[in-house]
Amino acid sequence: MKPTLSQQELLDATHFCVIVPTYNNHKTLKRVLDSILDYTPNIIVVNDGSTDETSTILKQYPQLTQIHHPKNSGKGMALRNGFKKAIEMNFEYAISIDSDGQHFAADIPNFITEIQKLPHSLLIGSRNMTQENVPKKSSFGNKFSNFWFWFETGIKLDDTQSGFRLYPLQLIPKKYFTNKFEFEIEVIVRSSWKGILVKNIQIQILYDPAERVSHFRPFKDFTRISILNTVLVINALIYIKPRDFFRKAKKKGFKKFFLEDILESNDSNFKKSAAIALGVFIGISPFWGFQTLLLLFFATLLKLNKIIAYMASNVSFPPFIPFLIFGSLKVGSYFVSGTTPLVLDSSLSLEDIQQNATQYIVGSLILATVSALLSGLVTYFLLTFFHKIKHKPQ
């Protein structure tokens, strides 16, 4: 299908190329390249160590920019080298399209039209995963990936695994840690963390079991993806989300941020109180080193305000730690027998605390639970009281 005149004008006005990573897809490669050439001559083909007839086919296209890997290095490395070449050639955007024939080059103008509306965004083609011939494992894998992308970035997408994408070359990260299929997850998560808008657009899809060759290895690649998501989740909880919290607060002003984004949030009084209770519980409980990780995990799981919970968890702010430790030991002494009473003065040593570890753990969990319940209840009644005053008829 040839582009319309208006589409062609838009394509010519946008400085983009199409990157085609390919590995042993000789059955569909020529059809894919010919269809792309209807829309642009700016094609970078990355032959990732193919052992079939790919090299012979590519000799028919000397006008195309070609990169040949001596051996298979993985789709991620193919895309990374494609990006590098596209940047050297001064392209602003790169559209990646798989060579297995599942995508339609006719959707390229849709990417270009959308990027004119939302410059510098990263667009991912959203496939209809419910249509005929779509493997169940692909549908499940996509849902799995969508969930973790949402957890790591807070953005809900319908399709995070599609290989038909548009990348803003100058904005995406310059260095990466993955080379295989999991690269396509790393690049969109880390791009989102950089503030790049990541968005789906609808595309057509063709799953032909007779032609399509998948190089996805369920066990190895799923393990790689799981390890990557573990690293990304930890990074998101420990660094990215707290960073974004303080950036937003600093940009708006802490007082205005507190009044507008926290006290005047759309959450009910119960949910605000529950967020404070969660923060207090995590802050006092004996999960040192994992408190922020656990806090953000449970706040996300329970759909509670992360900002309120995080602020409440600062009950364990350094100056208060000695009092919390002593309070935990004191409470624990009523429930754990055979412990030596401790006194909070200069004679209290780390060895004393270590000898009373069980007393401390039990006491801190009890103290955390009681403090969380009390703080939650007090907060709920105060919020309800002030709400009634604020909305009292004049």
Side-chain angles (χ1 to χ4, degrees):
M1 180 186 294
K2 296 286 186 178
T4 63
L5 181 60
S6 59
Q7 286 179 331
Q8 191 61 58
E9 290 176 348
L10 190 59
L11 293 171
D12 293 341
T14 308
H15 202 43
F16 78 100
C17 67
V18 177
I19 298 175
V20 184
T22 186
Y23 174 62
N24 290 348
N25 282 125
H26 70 278
K27 290 182 180 180
T28 54
L29 178 60
K30 180 174 174 55
R31 186 177 81 232
V32 170
L33 294 178
D34 289 341
S35 66
I36 298 171
L37 282 169
D38 285 337
Y39 295 89
T40 179
N42 301 323
I43 302 175
I44 299 174
V45 185
V46 185
N47 176 14
D48 190 27
S50 298
T51 56
D52 59 2
E53 299 173 22
T54 294
S55 295
T56 302
I57 293 171
L58 291 178
K59 289 178 181 178
Q60 302 173 34
Y61 299 89
Q63 76 275 30
L64 304 185
T65 301
Q66 299 183 21
I67 300 172
H68 293 270
H69 293 173
K71 63 179 181 179
N72 181 246
S73 301
K75 187 179 182 182
M77 185 56 71
L79 287 170
R80 289 169 61 175
N81 287 337
F83 292 162
K84 184 178 179 181
K85 175 59 71 173
I87 291 172
E88 289 175 0
M89 298 173 71
N90 296 315
F91 287 109
E92 184 177 5
Y93 298 105
I95 293 178
S96 65
I97 185 169
D98 293 337
S99 63
D100 59 5
Q102 67 169 296
H103 303 311
F104 290 81
D107 283 319
I108 289 176
N110 297 335
F111 280 92
I112 301 304
T113 299
E114 189 68 23
I115 204 63
Q116 297 299 330
K117 299 176 184 175
L118 299 168
H120 312 308
S121 56
L122 194 162
L123 307 177
I124 304 175
S126 179
R127 304 161 293 175
N128 179 6
M129 303 300 289
T130 62
Q131 73 179 48
E132 188 179 1
N133 293 328
V134 176
K136 290 184 178 180
K137 63 180 180 180
S138 296
S139 180
F140 169 78
N142 192 48
K143 291 178 181 178
F144 179 84
S145 179
N146 294 348
F147 169 79
W148 287 113
F149 179 78
W150 164 77
F151 192 93
E152 292 151 6
T153 66
I155 300 170
K156 288 188 177 182
L157 294 180
D158 296 322
D159 193 344
T160 53
Q161 291 194 320
S162 171
F164 202 175
R165 305 177 175 190
L166 183 148
Y167 296 94
L169 292 170
Q170 300 299 327
L171 300 180
I172 58 176
K174 298 297 184 286
K175 295 182 179 180
Y176 301 93
F177 306 102
T178 55
N179 300 328
K180 308 291 184 180
F181 281 103
E182 68 274 15
F183 168 81
E184 290 184 301
I185 297 173
E186 180 190 357
V187 66
I188 61 173
V189 171
R190 292 182 56 208
S191 293
S192 176
W193 287 350
K194 285 191 68 178
I196 299 172
L197 173 65
V198 181
K199 184 178 183 294
N200 278 143
I201 68 168
Q202 293 299 313
I203 60 170
Q204 306 169 74
I205 189 71
L206 172 65
Y207 272 92
D208 187 344
E211 287 191 335
R212 186 171 183 267
V213 178
S214 174
H215 303 293
F216 187 83
R217 300 162 299 178
F219 179 75
K220 286 186 177 181
D221 290 317
F222 189 77
T223 299
R224 288 176 179 274
I225 290 171
S226 297
I227 293 173
L228 173 64
N229 276 318
T230 300
V231 173
L232 292 175
V233 165
I234 292 173
N235 193 26
L237 294 178
I238 292 179
Y239 173 66
I240 298 298
K241 292 186 184 295
R243 179 204 68 181
D244 292 345
F245 162 71
F246 284 111
R247 280 183 178 178
K248 187 176 180 181
K250 184 178 180 181
K251 185 177 181 180
K252 181 173 280 191
F254 284 96
K255 181 178 179 180
K256 187 177 180 182
F257 177 74
F258 180 78
L259 293 174
E260 293 183 1
D261 292 69
I262 299 179
L263 292 184
E264 295 298 328
S265 72
N266 294 325
D267 290 336
S268 65
N269 290 342
F270 175 80
K271 294 199 76 171
K272 290 178 184 177
S273 303
I276 287 180
L278 174 65
V280 170
F281 177 82
I282 295 295
I284 296 177
S285 56
F287 303 123
W288 303 104
F290 299 95
Q291 288 177 326
T292 301
L293 182 68
L294 290 170
L295 174 76
L296 294 174
F297 175 79
F298 283 110
T300 300
L301 185 67
L302 299 173
K303 297 182 179 179
L304 299 176
N305 189 308
K306 302 179 188 65
I307 298 171
I308 295 177
Y310 182 77
M311 293 181 67
S313 71
N314 284 306
V315 67
S316 59
F317 194 66
F320 304 146
I321 290 177
F323 298 98
L324 292 176
I325 292 176
F326 181 77
S328 299
L329 288 167
K330 191 69 175 177
V331 171
S333 67
Y334 296 110
F335 297 89
V336 179
S337 59
T339 58
T340 304
L342 298 177
V343 179
L344 185 61
D345 59 20
S346 58
S347 65
L348 182 64
S349 66
L350 182 61
E351 185 178 353
D352 293 326
I353 297 173
Q354 290 174 338
Q355 290 176 352
N356 291 268
T358 302
Q359 176 185 345
Y360 165 70
I361 292 172
V362 171
S364 64
L365 288 173
I366 294 172
L367 182 63
T369 302
V370 173
S371 299
L373 289 172
L374 288 174
S375 60
L377 287 171
V378 170
T379 301
Y380 179 78
F381 286 119
L382 286 175
L383 288 173
T384 302
F385 175 73
F386 287 119
H387 178 79
K388 289 181 178 179
I389 292 178
K390 184 176 180 180
H391 294 86
K392 184 177 181 181
Q394 298 297 323

